[in-house]
Structures are given as C-alpha cells and as structure tokens.
Amino acid sequence: PTQTKSQIIMLTLSIKARLLVVLGLCCLSRAFSSSSSKPFTVLPKSSTGQHAAAFSTAQRHPHSLSLRKRVTPLLSLRGGEQEEGASLNEDPTPTTSLTGKMSVLAPVASILQSLGSAYSTQLTNRPILTKSVTATFIFGLSDWTAQKIEGSDEEEAKMNWTRIISASLVGLLYFGPAAHGWYETIFRILPKQSLISTLQKAALGQLLFGPSFTCIFFATSLMQSGEFTLGSWFKKIKSDFLGAWVAGLGFWPLVDLFSYSVLPSRWIPLFVNVCSYVWTIYLSLVANKRASSDAEPSAS
C-alpha cells in the first residue's frame, strides 16, 4: 500500500507538472505572437480639416446627440484621436479607478524591476556564481516541497534537513556550473535558432545532460542516507533510471523547445532552474521514497 500510494503521488505530480508547463508555454507563445499596437489609418489631407472642425463643434455643443453621432464615426478612423472621441460618451470613473490600482501596483513593479536589474547585472559580472546560487535555492526548496508531499504521519512530517542540504549542494556544486558550461557549449556548436537546430539541442539535452544529472542526483541521495557504494549506485541506476528518463521525455523537451526558440541564451539557465523546481520534486520522490521502501524488507 505504501508503494502504491507513492506511485499515485508521483504520477499525479508528473501529470500536473506537464499540464502546468503546457499551459504556461501556450500563454507565453500567445503573448509573444499578439500585437498590442493598432495601425493608424492615413486620411487624405482634405478630409483632415473637416474632421477637426466637426470635433471642435461637438466640443462646443456637448449636449447635441446628432453631432456626437456624426463625429464619433469620423474619429474612430483616426488612431491618434480615438481616445479623445471616446471620452465624449464615457464616464471618467473607470479611468480614475484604474489609475488608483496602477498607483498601488507601482511600488511592487518598481521593486521587481530593481531586482531584475540587479540580477541581470550579477548575471553579467558573475555568471557561474549567480546561476549556482539560484540553483542552490531552487533545489533546496524542491526537496523541502517533496518532503511535505511525502509526509503523511507526524513522524514523517519532520523535515530531514540533511536531504535539503544535499539537494542544495547538488544545485550549488553541480547543476549551476554544469548548466552554464552546457549551454555555452551547445550554443557554440549549434549557434542557429532554426527548427532543426532547436530540435538537435533538445535531443542532445535528453541524451547527455539530463541522464548525467539524474545519475548524480541518485548518487547524492544515497550519500545523504549513508548507503552509497558503487554497487548500490549502479543498482539504483538500473532500477530507477529508465523510468525517470521516460518521465522526463514528457517534460524537458517542451522546456527545451520553448527556451531555445524564444529566450536569449543568457536567460535560459534561469528558466531551466525554475522548471527544475518541479522536476527535482519528482526526482526527490523517486530517489528517496523507493530507497526507504527497499530498506524496509532488509530491516525486517
């Protein structure tokens, strides 16, 4: 029953993660593809004076409904005066409330902009250190979340800080520097951003970088539990690697296709780090839940 419960939890988490990534990619692709600007219609010079005269007449007689009906269609043809014509019939109250909301959100936007600027500066001056510290925080948070998911009774609900520290060290000492070197190399080998080049980068990530990271993560989980030997490591890889790799095929190719085709190369490791939050939760469940279930028969 314990193993069945853990399998259900990991399957549910994997499905939710994939749906979250697909939904996010759809929203971002729509945002990038949509155009926010309206084209302006160029009017003949002779008609410009007529429109201006009609608009000034409507302003002098604001209560004349017939003039408003005549002026509004004319102004709707001109992008520059569209808001001016619409203001004849609109109540200024929504604009006031919108301005109030924007004034409340302005400090938050300013703080986020300052943080983004500071992070970008550090990313330029100290790229490896910045990516490693980011991975440290995300990997530690992932394992903390995984332990929250695993905890069902009071004893299991206690945090295993050794696990959290081990996961954080994987991000600091391995994933941050390795991701920096990997993306620098992959863009040097395949600099183009065509569809074929993007698919090649994604395939290389699934064949080289992803499997190596999974094996390192398995070794770290065995080390923090005090069970690491080369034999136990190879046994862990043999029993759990294929399932984790197949599960990753439904997650990482979507991440790679989006990041390689949309994001600048210097921001890809940050995006991958954020996506690793979900994936590392899954790996923590696989690496530690099955290890505990294997230890139960030997203890008995």
Side-chain angles (χ1 to χ4, degrees), residues 240-255:
D240 294 340
F241 172 78
L242 183 59
W245 184 74
V246 172
L249 291 178
F251 182 79
W252 285 113
L254 296 174
V255 175

Side-chain angles (χ1 to χ4, degrees), residues 126-188:
R126 304 174 183 86
I128 298 178
L129 179 61
T130 303
K131 295 169 187 177
S132 299
V133 172
T134 305
T136 302
F137 172 76
I138 291 177
F139 276 53
L141 184 61
S142 296
D143 193 82
W144 180 86
T145 307
Q147 292 189 48
K148 284 290 186 182
I149 295 173
E150 291 172 353
S152 56
D153 54 38
E154 194 165 330
E155 182 180 354
E156 292 179 349
K158 295 179 181 178
M159 281 291 124
N160 185 347
W161 290 102
T162 304
R163 265 183 59 177
I164 296 176
I165 294 173
S166 299
S168 301
L169 289 176
V170 172
L172 177 65
L173 302 178
Y174 176 75
F175 189 83
H180 174 81
W182 170 259
Y183 289 111
E184 289 284 328
T185 304
I186 204 70
F187 274 101
R188 193 179 303 114

Side-chain angles (χ1 to χ4, degrees), residues 100-143:
K101 292 178 180 179
M102 293 299 293
S103 63
V104 172
L105 295 177
V108 179
S110 177
I111 292 173
L112 293 177
Q113 185 177 4
S114 301
L115 290 175
S117 177
Y119 188 87
S120 178
T121 302
Q122 294 300 318
L123 197 61
T124 302
N125 297 335
R126 304 174 183 86
I128 298 178
L129 179 61
T130 303
K131 295 169 187 177
S132 299
V133 172
T134 305
T136 302
F137 172 76
I138 291 177
F139 276 53
L141 184 61
S142 296
D143 193 82

Side-chain angles (χ1 to χ4, degrees), residues 200-237:
Q200 288 173 341
K201 292 171 189 161
L204 288 175
Q206 293 303 304
L207 293 174
L208 298 177
F209 186 73
S212 65
F213 169 69
T214 302
C215 293
I216 294 294
F217 198 90
F218 285 166
T220 306
S221 68
L222 292 173
M223 287 179 184
Q224 63 89 20
S225 62
E227 301 174 359
F228 177 80
T229 61
L230 288 178
S232 63
W233 186 34
F234 291 148
K235 182 180 178 181
K236 186 72 175 175
I237 292 173

